[in-house]
CSV table of all heavy atoms in Angstrom, one decimal:
chain,number,residue,atom,x,y,z
A,315,MET,N,5.9,3.9,-2.3
A,315,MET,CA,5.2,5.1,-2.4
A,315,MET,C,6.0,6.2,-1.8
A,315,MET,O,6.1,7.3,-2.2
A,315,MET,CB,3.8,5.0,-1.8
A,315,MET,CG,3.1,6.2,-1.8
A,315,MET,SD,2.0,6.5,-3.2
A,315,MET,CE,1.1,7.9,-2.6
A,316,LYS,N,6.5,5.9,-0.5
A,316,LYS,CA,7.3,6.8,0.3
A,316,LYS,C,8.4,7.5,-0.5
A,316,LYS,O,8.6,8.6,-0.5
A,316,LYS,CB,7.8,6.2,1.6
A,316,LYS,CG,8.5,7.2,2.5
A,316,LYS,CD,9.0,6.5,3.7
A,316,LYS,CE,9.8,7.4,4.6
A,316,LYS,NZ,10.2,6.9,5.8
A,317,LYS,N,9.2,6.6,-1.2
A,317,LYS,CA,10.2,7.1,-2.0
A,317,LYS,C,10.0,8.0,-3.2
A,317,LYS,O,10.6,8.9,-3.5
A,317,LYS,CB,11.2,6.0,-2.5
A,317,LYS,CG,11.9,5.2,-1.4
A,317,LYS,CD,12.8,4.1,-1.9
A,317,LYS,CE,13.5,3.5,-0.8
A,317,LYS,NZ,14.3,2.4,-1.3
A,318,MET,N,8.7,7.7,-3.6
A,318,MET,CA,8.2,8.5,-4.7
A,318,MET,C,7.9,10.0,-4.3
A,318,MET,O,8.2,10.9,-5.1
A,318,MET,CB,6.9,7.8,-5.3
A,318,MET,CG,6.2,8.6,-6.3
A,318,MET,SD,4.5,8.1,-6.6
A,318,MET,CE,3.7,9.4,-5.7
A,319,LEU,N,7.4,10.2,-3.1
A,319,LEU,CA,7.2,11.5,-2.6
A,319,LEU,C,8.3,12.0,-1.8
A,319,LEU,O,8.3,13.3,-1.6
A,319,LEU,CB,5.9,11.5,-1.7
A,319,LEU,CG,4.6,11.1,-2.4
A,319,LEU,CD1,3.5,10.9,-1.5
A,319,LEU,CD2,4.2,12.0,-3.6
A,320,GLN,N,9.3,11.2,-1.5
A,320,GLN,CA,10.3,11.7,-0.6
A,320,GLN,C,11.2,13.0,-1.3
A,320,GLN,O,11.6,12.7,-2.4
A,320,GLN,CB,11.3,10.6,-0.3
A,320,GLN,CG,12.3,10.9,0.9
A,320,GLN,CD,13.0,9.6,1.2
A,320,GLN,OE1,12.9,8.6,0.6
A,320,GLN,NE2,13.7,9.6,2.3
A,321,GLY,N,11.3,14.1,-0.5
A,321,GLY,CA,12.1,15.1,-0.9
A,321,GLY,C,11.3,16.0,-1.9
A,321,GLY,O,11.9,17.2,-2.2
A,322,LYS,N,10.2,15.7,-2.3
A,322,LYS,CA,9.4,16.6,-3.2
A,322,LYS,C,8.6,17.6,-2.5
A,322,LYS,O,8.2,17.3,-1.4
A,322,LYS,CB,8.5,15.8,-4.2
A,322,LYS,CG,9.2,14.9,-5.1
A,322,LYS,CD,8.2,14.3,-6.1
A,322,LYS,CE,9.0,13.4,-7.1
A,322,LYS,NZ,8.1,12.8,-8.1
A,323,LYS,N,8.4,18.8,-3.0
A,323,LYS,CA,7.6,19.8,-2.5
A,323,LYS,C,6.5,20.1,-3.4
A,323,LYS,O,6.6,20.1,-4.6
A,323,LYS,CB,8.5,21.1,-2.4
A,323,LYS,CG,9.6,20.8,-1.3
A,323,LYS,CD,10.3,22.2,-1.0
A,323,LYS,CE,11.5,21.9,-0.1
A,323,LYS,NZ,11.3,21.8,1.3
A,324,PHE,N,5.3,20.2,-2.9
A,324,PHE,CA,4.1,20.4,-3.6
A,324,PHE,C,3.5,21.8,-3.2
A,324,PHE,O,3.4,22.1,-2.1
A,324,PHE,CB,3.1,19.4,-3.5
A,324,PHE,CG,3.7,17.9,-3.8
A,324,PHE,CD1,4.3,17.1,-2.9
A,324,PHE,CD2,3.5,17.5,-5.1
A,324,PHE,CE1,4.7,15.9,-3.2
A,324,PHE,CE2,3.9,16.3,-5.5
A,324,PHE,CZ,4.6,15.5,-4.6
A,325,GLY,N,2.8,22.4,-4.3
A,325,GLY,CA,2.3,23.7,-4.0
A,325,GLY,C,0.9,23.7,-3.7
A,325,GLY,O,0.2,24.7,-3.1
A,326,SER,N,0.4,22.4,-3.8
A,326,SER,CA,-1.1,22.3,-3.4
A,326,SER,C,-1.5,20.8,-3.2
A,326,SER,O,-0.7,19.9,-3.6
A,326,SER,CB,-2.1,22.8,-4.6
A,326,SER,OG,-1.9,22.0,-5.7
A,327,ASN,N,-2.7,20.6,-2.6
A,327,ASN,CA,-3.1,19.3,-2.3
A,327,ASN,C,-3.4,18.6,-3.7
A,327,ASN,O,-3.2,17.4,-3.9
A,327,ASN,CB,-4.4,19.3,-1.6
A,327,ASN,CG,-4.1,19.6,-0.1
A,327,ASN,OD1,-3.1,19.5,0.4
A,327,ASN,ND2,-5.2,20.0,0.6
A,328,GLU,N,-3.9,19.3,-4.7
A,328,GLU,CA,-4.1,18.8,-6.0
A,328,GLU,C,-2.9,18.2,-6.6
A,328,GLU,O,-2.9,17.2,-7.3
A,328,GLU,CB,-4.8,19.9,-6.9
A,328,GLU,CG,-6.2,20.2,-6.5
A,328,GLU,CD,-6.2,21.2,-5.3
A,328,GLU,OE1,-5.3,21.8,-5.0
A,328,GLU,OE2,-7.3,21.2,-4.8
A,329,GLU,N,-1.7,18.8,-6.4
A,329,GLU,CA,-0.5,18.2,-6.9
A,329,GLU,C,-0.1,16.9,-6.3
A,329,GLU,O,0.4,16.0,-7.0
A,329,GLU,CB,0.8,19.2,-6.8
A,329,GLU,CG,0.6,20.5,-7.6
A,329,GLU,CD,1.8,21.5,-7.5
A,329,GLU,OE1,2.6,21.2,-6.8
A,329,GLU,OE2,1.6,22.6,-7.8
A,330,VAL,N,-0.3,16.9,-4.9
A,330,VAL,CA,-0.1,15.7,-4.3
A,330,VAL,C,-1.0,14.5,-4.7
A,330,VAL,O,-0.6,13.4,-5.0
A,330,VAL,CB,-0.2,15.8,-2.7
A,330,VAL,CG1,-0.1,14.5,-1.9
A,330,VAL,CG2,0.7,16.9,-2.2
A,331,ILE,N,-2.3,14.8,-5.0
A,331,ILE,CA,-3.3,13.9,-5.3
A,331,ILE,C,-2.9,13.4,-6.8
A,331,ILE,O,-2.9,12.2,-7.1
A,331,ILE,CB,-4.6,14.5,-5.3
A,331,ILE,CG1,-5.2,14.7,-3.9
A,331,ILE,CG2,-5.6,13.6,-6.2
A,331,ILE,CD1,-6.4,15.6,-3.8
A,332,ALA,N,-2.4,14.3,-7.7
A,332,ALA,CA,-2.1,13.9,-9.0
A,332,ALA,C,-0.9,13.0,-9.0
A,332,ALA,O,-0.9,12.0,-9.7
A,332,ALA,CB,-1.9,15.2,-9.9
A,333,GLU,N,0.1,13.3,-8.2
A,333,GLU,CA,1.3,12.5,-8.1
A,333,GLU,C,0.9,11.1,-7.6
A,333,GLU,O,1.5,10.1,-8.1
A,333,GLU,CB,2.4,13.2,-7.3
A,333,GLU,CG,3.7,12.5,-7.3
A,333,GLU,CD,4.5,12.9,-8.4
A,333,GLU,OE1,4.1,13.8,-9.2
A,333,GLU,OE2,5.6,12.2,-8.7
A,334,THR,N,0.2,11.1,-6.5
A,334,THR,CA,-0.3,9.7,-6.0
A,334,THR,C,-1.1,9.0,-7.1
A,334,THR,O,-0.9,7.8,-7.2
A,334,THR,CB,-1.1,10.0,-4.7
A,334,THR,OG1,-0.4,10.8,-3.8
A,334,THR,CG2,-1.6,8.7,-4.0
A,335,GLU,N,-2.1,9.6,-7.8
A,335,GLU,CA,-2.7,8.9,-8.8
A,335,GLU,C,-1.9,8.3,-9.9
A,335,GLU,O,-2.0,7.2,-10.3
A,335,GLU,CB,-3.9,9.8,-9.3
A,335,GLU,CG,-5.0,10.0,-8.3
A,335,GLU,CD,-6.0,11.0,-8.9
A,335,GLU,OE1,-5.8,11.7,-9.8
A,335,GLU,OE2,-7.1,11.1,-8.3
A,336,ALA,N,-0.9,9.1,-10.3
A,336,ALA,CA,0.0,8.7,-11.3
A,336,ALA,C,0.8,7.5,-10.8
A,336,ALA,O,1.1,6.5,-11.6
A,336,ALA,CB,0.9,9.8,-11.6
A,337,TYR,N,1.3,7.4,-9.6
A,337,TYR,CA,1.9,6.3,-9.1
A,337,TYR,C,1.1,5.1,-9.1
A,337,TYR,O,1.5,4.1,-9.7
A,337,TYR,CB,2.3,6.6,-7.6
A,337,TYR,CG,2.8,5.4,-6.9
A,337,TYR,CD1,4.1,5.0,-7.0
A,337,TYR,CD2,2.0,4.6,-6.0
A,337,TYR,CE1,4.7,3.9,-6.3
A,337,TYR,CE2,2.6,3.5,-5.4
A,337,TYR,CZ,3.8,3.2,-5.5
A,337,TYR,OH,4.4,2.0,-5.0
A,338,PHE,N,-0.1,5.1,-8.7
A,338,PHE,CA,-1.0,4.0,-8.7
A,338,PHE,C,-1.4,3.4,-10.1
A,338,PHE,O,-1.5,2.2,-10.4
A,338,PHE,CB,-2.1,4.1,-7.8
A,338,PHE,CG,-1.8,4.0,-6.3
A,338,PHE,CD1,-1.9,5.1,-5.5
A,338,PHE,CD2,-1.4,2.8,-5.7
A,338,PHE,CE1,-1.4,5.0,-4.1
A,338,PHE,CE2,-1.0,2.6,-4.4
A,338,PHE,CZ,-1.1,3.9,-3.6
A,339,GLU,N,-1.6,4.5,-11.0
A,339,GLU,CA,-1.9,4.1,-12.3
A,339,GLU,C,-0.8,3.4,-13.2
A,339,GLU,O,-0.9,2.7,-14.0
A,339,GLU,CB,-2.4,5.3,-13.1
A,339,GLU,CG,-3.7,5.8,-12.7
A,339,GLU,CD,-4.1,7.3,-13.2
A,339,GLU,OE1,-3.3,7.8,-14.0
A,339,GLU,OE2,-5.2,7.8,-12.9
A,340,SER,N,0.4,3.6,-12.6
A,340,SER,CA,1.5,3.1,-13.3
A,340,SER,C,1.9,1.7,-12.8
A,340,SER,O,2.6,0.9,-13.5
A,340,SER,CB,2.9,3.9,-12.9
A,340,SER,OG,3.3,3.7,-11.6
A,341,LYS,N,1.2,1.2,-11.8
A,341,LYS,CA,1.3,-0.2,-11.3
A,341,LYS,C,0.6,-1.1,-12.2
A,341,LYS,O,-0.6,-0.8,-12.8
A,341,LYS,CB,0.9,-0.3,-9.9
A,341,LYS,CG,1.7,0.6,-8.8
A,341,LYS,CD,3.1,0.2,-8.9
A,341,LYS,CE,4.0,1.0,-8.0
A,341,LYS,NZ,5.4,0.6,-8.2
A,342,ASP,N,1.1,-2.4,-12.4
A,342,ASP,CA,0.4,-3.3,-13.2
A,342,ASP,C,-0.4,-4.2,-12.3
A,342,ASP,O,-0.5,-4.1,-11.1
A,342,ASP,CB,1.4,-4.2,-14.0
A,342,ASP,CG,2.3,-5.0,-13.2
A,342,ASP,OD1,2.2,-5.1,-12.0
A,342,ASP,OD2,3.2,-5.6,-13.8
A,343,LYS,N,-1.2,-5.0,-13.0
A,343,LYS,CA,-2.3,-5.8,-12.3
A,343,LYS,C,-1.6,-6.7,-11.2
A,343,LYS,O,-2.2,-6.9,-10.2
A,343,LYS,CB,-2.9,-6.8,-13.4
A,343,LYS,CG,-4.0,-7.7,-12.9
A,343,LYS,CD,-4.6,-8.4,-14.1
A,343,LYS,CE,-5.7,-9.3,-13.6
A,343,LYS,NZ,-6.3,-10.0,-14.8
A,344,SER,N,-0.4,-7.2,-11.3
A,344,SER,CA,0.2,-8.1,-10.5
A,344,SER,C,0.5,-7.4,-9.1
A,344,SER,O,0.5,-7.9,-8.0
A,344,SER,CB,1.5,-8.7,-10.9
A,344,SER,OG,2.5,-7.7,-11.1
A,345,PHE,N,0.7,-6.1,-9.1
A,345,PHE,CA,1.0,-5.3,-7.9
A,345,PHE,C,-0.3,-5.3,-7.0
A,345,PHE,O,-0.1,-5.5,-5.8
A,345,PHE,CB,1.2,-3.7,-8.3
A,345,PHE,CG,1.3,-2.8,-7.1
A,345,PHE,CD1,2.4,-2.6,-6.4
A,345,PHE,CD2,0.1,-2.0,-6.9
A,345,PHE,CE1,2.4,-1.8,-5.4
A,345,PHE,CE2,0.1,-1.1,-5.9
A,345,PHE,CZ,1.4,-1.0,-5.1
A,346,TYR,N,-1.5,-5.3,-7.6
A,346,TYR,CA,-2.7,-5.3,-6.9
A,346,TYR,C,-3.0,-6.6,-6.4
A,346,TYR,O,-3.5,-6.9,-5.3
A,346,TYR,CB,-3.9,-4.6,-7.7
A,346,TYR,CG,-3.6,-3.1,-7.9
A,346,TYR,CD1,-3.0,-2.7,-9.1
A,346,TYR,CD2,-3.8,-2.2,-6.9
A,346,TYR,CE1,-2.8,-1.3,-9.3
A,346,TYR,CE2,-3.5,-0.9,-7.1
A,346,TYR,CZ,-3.0,-0.5,-8.3
A,346,TYR,OH,-2.9,0.9,-8.4
A,347,ILE,N,-2.8,-7.7,-7.2
A,347,ILE,CA,-3.0,-9.1,-6.9
A,347,ILE,C,-2.2,-9.4,-5.7
A,347,ILE,O,-2.7,-9.9,-4.7
A,347,ILE,CB,-2.8,-9.9,-8.1
A,347,ILE,CG1,-3.8,-9.8,-9.2
A,347,ILE,CG2,-2.8,-11.4,-7.6
A,347,ILE,CD1,-3.5,-10.5,-10.5
A,348,LYS,N,-0.9,-9.1,-5.6
A,348,LYS,CA,0.0,-9.3,-4.6
A,348,LYS,C,-0.5,-8.7,-3.3
A,348,LYS,O,-0.5,-9.2,-2.1
A,348,LYS,CB,1.4,-9.0,-4.8
A,348,LYS,CG,2.1,-9.8,-5.8
A,348,LYS,CD,3.5,-9.3,-6.2
A,348,LYS,CE,4.1,-10.1,-7.3
A,348,LYS,NZ,5.4,-9.6,-7.7
A,349,GLY,N,-0.9,-7.4,-3.4
A,349,GLY,CA,-1.4,-6.7,-2.2
A,349,GLY,C,-2.7,-7.4,-1.6
A,349,GLY,O,-2.8,-7.5,-0.5
A,350,ILE,N,-3.6,-7.7,-2.5
A,350,ILE,CA,-4.8,-8.5,-2.0
A,350,ILE,C,-4.5,-9.8,-1.3
A,350,ILE,O,-5.0,-10.1,-0.3
A,350,ILE,CB,-5.8,-8.6,-3.1
A,350,ILE,CG1,-6.3,-7.2,-3.5
A,350,ILE,CG2,-6.9,-9.5,-2.8
A,350,ILE,CD1,-7.2,-7.2,-4.8
A,351,GLU,N,-3.6,-10.5,-1.9
A,351,GLU,CA,-3.1,-11.8,-1.3
A,351,GLU,C,-2.5,-11.6,0.0
A,351,GLU,O,-2.7,-12.3,0.9
A,351,GLU,CB,-2.1,-12.5,-2.2
A,351,GLU,CG,-2.8,-13.0,-3.5
A,351,GLU,CD,-1.8,-13.6,-4.6
A,351,GLU,OE1,-0.6,-13.3,-4.5
A,351,GLU,OE2,-2.3,-14.2,-5.5
A,352,LYS,N,-1.6,-10.5,0.2
A,352,LYS,CA,-1.1,-10.2,1.5
A,352,LYS,C,-2.1,-9.9,2.6
A,352,LYS,O,-2.0,-10.2,3.7
A,352,LYS,CB,-0.1,-9.1,1.3
A,352,LYS,CG,1.2,-9.5,0.7
A,352,LYS,CD,2.2,-8.3,0.7
A,352,LYS,CE,3.4,-8.7,-0.1
A,352,LYS,NZ,4.4,-7.5,-0.2
A,353,LEU,N,-3.2,-9.2,2.2
A,353,LEU,CA,-4.3,-8.7,3.1
A,353,LEU,C,-4.9,-10.0,3.6
A,353,LEU,O,-5.2,-10.3,4.8
A,353,LEU,CB,-5.3,-7.9,2.4
A,353,LEU,CG,-5.0,-6.6,2.2
A,353,LEU,CD1,-6.1,-5.9,1.3
A,353,LEU,CD2,-4.8,-5.8,3.4
A,354,GLU,N,-5.1,-11.0,2.7
A,354,GLU,CA,-5.8,-12.3,3.1
A,354,GLU,C,-4.9,-13.1,4.1
A,354,GLU,O,-5.3,-13.4,5.1
A,354,GLU,CB,-6.1,-13.2,1.9
A,354,GLU,CG,-6.8,-14.5,2.3
A,354,GLU,CD,-7.1,-15.4,1.1
A,354,GLU,OE1,-6.7,-15.0,-0.1
A,354,GLU,OE2,-7.8,-16.3,1.3
A,355,GLU,N,-3.5,-13.1,3.8
A,355,GLU,CA,-2.6,-13.8,4.7
A,355,GLU,C,-2.6,-13.1,6.0
A,355,GLU,O,-2.7,-13.8,7.1
A,355,GLU,CB,-1.2,-13.8,4.1
A,355,GLU,CG,-1.1,-14.7,2.8
A,355,GLU,CD,0.2,-14.4,2.2
A,355,GLU,OE1,1.2,-13.7,2.8
A,355,GLU,OE2,0.4,-14.8,1.0
A,356,ARG,N,-2.6,-11.8,6.1
A,356,ARG,CA,-2.5,-11.1,7.4
A,356,ARG,C,-3.8,-11.2,8.1
A,356,ARG,O,-3.8,-11.3,9.4
A,356,ARG,CB,-2.2,-9.6,7.1
A,356,ARG,CG,-0.7,-9.4,6.6
A,356,ARG,CD,-0.5,-7.9,6.3
A,356,ARG,NE,0.9,-7.8,5.9
A,356,ARG,CZ,1.3,-6.7,5.2
A,356,ARG,NH1,0.6,-5.7,5.0
A,356,ARG,NH2,2.5,-6.7,4.8
A,357,TRP,N,-5.0,-11.2,7.4
A,357,TRP,CA,-6.1,-11.4,8.2
A,357,TRP,C,-6.3,-12.7,8.8
A,357,TRP,O,-6.6,-12.9,9.9
A,357,TRP,CB,-7.3,-11.2,7.1
A,357,TRP,CG,-8.7,-11.4,7.8
A,357,TRP,CD1,-9.4,-10.5,8.4
A,357,TRP,CD2,-9.5,-12.5,7.7
A,357,TRP,NE1,-10.6,-11.0,8.8
A,357,TRP,CE2,-10.7,-12.3,8.4
A,357,TRP,CE3,-9.4,-13.8,7.1
A,357,TRP,CZ2,-11.7,-13.1,8.4
A,357,TRP,CZ3,-10.4,-14.7,7.2
A,357,TRP,CH2,-11.5,-14.4,7.9
A,358,ASN,N,-5.8,-13.8,8.1
A,358,ASN,CA,-5.8,-15.2,8.6
A,358,ASN,C,-4.9,-15.3,9.8
A,358,ASN,O,-5.2,-15.9,10.8
A,358,ASN,CB,-5.4,-16.2,7.6
A,358,ASN,CG,-6.5,-16.4,6.6
A,358,ASN,OD1,-7.7,-16.4,6.8
A,358,ASN,ND2,-6.1,-16.7,5.3
A,359,GLU,N,-3.8,-14.6,9.7
A,359,GLU,CA,-2.9,-14.6,10.8
A,359,GLU,C,-3.4,-13.9,12.0
A,359,GLU,O,-3.3,-14.5,13.2
A,359,GLU,CB,-1.5,-13.9,10.5
A,359,GLU,CG,-0.5,-14.1,11.5
A,359,GLU,CD,0.9,-13.5,11.2
A,359,GLU,OE1,1.1,-13.1,9.9
A,359,GLU,OE2,1.8,-13.6,12.0
A,360,CYS,N,-4.1,-12.8,11.8
A,360,CYS,CA,-4.8,-12.2,13.0
A,360,CYS,C,-5.8,-13.0,13.6
A,360,CYS,O,-5.9,-13.0,14.8
A,360,CYS,CB,-5.4,-10.7,12.4
A,360,CYS,SG,-6.0,-9.7,13.7
A,361,ILE,N,-6.6,-13.7,12.8
A,361,ILE,CA,-7.6,-14.5,13.4
A,361,ILE,C,-7.0,-15.7,14.1
A,361,ILE,O,-7.5,-15.9,15.3
A,361,ILE,CB,-8.5,-15.1,12.2
A,361,ILE,CG1,-9.4,-14.0,11.4
A,361,ILE,CG2,-9.5,-16.2,12.7
A,361,ILE,CD1,-10.2,-13.2,12.3
A,362,THR,N,-5.9,-16.3,13.6
A,362,THR,CA,-5.2,-17.3,14.3
A,362,THR,C,-4.7,-16.9,15.7
A,362,THR,O,-4.8,-17.4,16.7
A,362,THR,CB,-4.0,-17.9,13.5
A,362,THR,OG1,-4.6,-18.3,12.2
A,362,THR,CG2,-3.3,-18.9,14.2
A,363,LEU,N,-4.3,-15.6,15.7
A,363,LEU,CA,-3.7,-15.0,16.9
A,363,LEU,C,-4.6,-14.4,17.8
A,363,LEU,O,-4.4,-13.7,18.8
A,363,LEU,CB,-2.5,-14.1,16.5
A,363,LEU,CG,-1.3,-14.7,15.8
A,363,LEU,CD1,-0.3,-13.5,15.5
A,363,LEU,CD2,-0.6,-15.6,16.7
A,364,GLU,N,-5.8,-14.4,17.4
A,364,GLU,CA,-7.0,-13.9,18.2
A,364,GLU,C,-6.9,-12.3,18.5
A,364,GLU,O,-7.1,-11.8,19.5
A,364,GLU,CB,-7.4,-14.6,19.5
A,364,GLU,CG,-7.7,-16.1,19.2
A,364,GLU,CD,-7.9,-16.9,20.3
A,364,GLU,OE1,-7.7,-16.3,21.5
A,364,GLU,OE2,-8.5,-18.0,20.2
A,365,GLY,N,-6.4,-11.7,17.4
A,365,GLY,CA,-6.2,-10.1,17.4
A,365,GLY,C,-4.9,-9.8,18.2
A,365,GLY,O,-4.8,-8.5,18.3
A,366,GLU,N,-4.1,-10.7,18.6
A,366,GLU,CA,-2.9,-10.3,19.3
A,366,GLU,C,-1.9,-9.6,18.1
A,366,GLU,O,-2.2,-9.7,17.0
A,366,GLU,CB,-2.2,-11.5,19.9
A,366,GLU,CG,-3.0,-11.9,21.1
A,366,GLU,CD,-3.1,-10.8,22.3
A,366,GLU,OE1,-2.1,-10.1,22.5
A,366,GLU,OE2,-4.2,-10.8,22.9
A,367,TYR,N,-0.8,-9.2,18.6
A,367,TYR,CA,0.3,-8.6,17.7
A,367,TYR,C,0.6,-9.5,16.5
A,367,TYR,O,0.7,-10.7,16.6
A,367,TYR,CB,1.5,-8.4,18.5
A,367,TYR,CG,2.6,-7.7,17.7
A,367,TYR,CD1,2.6,-6.4,17.3
A,367,TYR,CD2,3.6,-8.5,17.2
A,367,TYR,CE1,3.5,-5.8,16.6
A,367,TYR,CE2,4.6,-7.9,16.4
A,367,TYR,CZ,4.6,-6.6,16.1
A,367,TYR,OH,5.6,-6.0,15.3
A,368,VAL,N,0.6,-8.9,15.3
A,368,VAL,CA,0.9,-9.5,14.1
A,368,VAL,C,2.1,-9.0,13.6
A,368,VAL,O,2.3,-7.8,13.4
A,368,VAL,CB,-0.2,-9.5,13.0
A,368,VAL,CG1,0.2,-10.1,11.8
A,368,VAL,CG2,-1.4,-10.0,13.5
A,369,ASP,N,3.2,-9.8,13.3
A,369,ASP,CA,4.4,-9.3,12.7
A,369,ASP,C,4.4,-9.2,11.3
A,369,ASP,O,3.9,-10.1,10.6
A,369,ASP,CB,5.6,-10.3,13.1
A,369,ASP,CG,7.0,-9.8,12.8
A,369,ASP,OD1,7.1,-8.5,12.8
A,369,ASP,OD2,7.8,-10.6,12.6
A,370,GLU,N,4.8,-8.0,10.7
A,370,GLU,CA,4.7,-7.8,9.2
A,370,GLU,C,5.9,-8.5,8.6
A,370,GLU,O,7.0,-8.5,8.7
A,370,GLU,CB,4.8,-6.3,8.9
A,370,GLU,CG,3.4,-5.7,9.5
A,370,GLU,CD,3.3,-4.3,9.1
A,370,GLU,OE1,3.7,-3.9,7.9
A,370,GLU,OE2,2.8,-3.5,9.7
């Protein structure tokens, strides 16, 4: 996402919102599945470490 917006200038918040929405709409189902799976893994790691630092 960072590279998508990097170097661009927007005239309004609405332009930023539209560009962000277009980015997420362009992603396929596997993008979201992988993200949800990563959340579960990170959550489990956090529980195991009892809230201590979690390396990404």
